[in-house]
């Protein structure tokens, strides 16, 4: 049996390799220790802005207190920026010197 003349051989079709999409870089949100911000306020920030349980918030707060810094979350750039701004605004409104930064993971 022969193929009908209007069908092309499928080996003639050029297939473009798919470009691999890269995941956007992630950013760590970091809390920095200071000697003035109350521990209870830090726990409140972690619970409210980072949706941590009370136990998780205490553990992170103690890490910040003992080591001077702790990662409180890893997010896309836009979300990390927003989290940092929220922490800084909440601290400023309560007149606490709490510092929050972000860095590429």
């Amino acid at each position: 049996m022969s193929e009908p003349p209007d069908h092309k051989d499928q080996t003639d079709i050029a297939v473009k390799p798919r470009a691999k999409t890269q995941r956007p870089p992630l950013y760590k949100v970091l809390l920095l220790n200071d000697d003035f911000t109350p521990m209870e306020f830090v726990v409140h920030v972690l619970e409210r802005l980072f949706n941590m349980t009370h136990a998780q918030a205490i553990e992170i707060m103690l890490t910040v207190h003992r080591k001077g810094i702790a990662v409180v979350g890893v997010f896309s750039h836009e979300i990390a920026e927003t989290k940092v701004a929220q922490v800084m605004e909440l601290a400023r409104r309560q007149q606490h010197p709490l510092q929050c930064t972000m860095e590429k993971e």
Side-chain angles (χ1 to χ4, degrees):
M1 259 172 107
S2 64
E3 288 185 36
D6 57 335
H7 285 265
K8 283 194 168 197
D9 187 355
Q10 292 205 357
T11 58
D12 292 345
I13 298 171
V15 178
K16 270 190 179 178
R18 278 193 173 172
K20 288 188 177 179
T21 55
Q22 292 184 349
R23 290 180 180 261
L26 295 176
Y27 291 80
K28 297 185 282 191
V29 174
L30 307 160
L31 273 187
L32 308 174
N33 189 43
D34 64 73
D35 293 332
F36 304 101
T37 303
M39 291 179 174
E40 297 80 19
F41 179 75
V42 175
V43 169
H44 170 73
V45 165
L46 293 170
E47 290 173 342
R48 182 170 167 199
L49 299 179
F50 295 92
N51 298 317
M52 293 185 184
T53 65
H54 191 69
Q56 289 170 323
I58 288 173
E59 187 177 327
I60 295 290
M61 175 274 297
L62 289 172
T63 300
V64 172
H65 181 69
R66 292 182 186 129
K67 296 187 176 183
I69 192 168
V71 175
V72 295
V74 179
F75 308 96
S76 68
H77 186 268
E78 293 77 17
I79 293 173
E81 255 184 349
T82 301
K83 295 285 186 187
V84 169
Q86 289 173 330
V87 170
M88 298 298 288
E89 174 63 20
L90 193 55
R92 185 188 64 74
R93 277 192 281 153
Q94 297 296 318
Q95 299 181 341
H96 296 304
L98 182 64
Q99 294 294 302
C100 186
T101 61
M102 62 187 259
E103 67 180 38
K104 202 170 189 175
E105 187 176 46

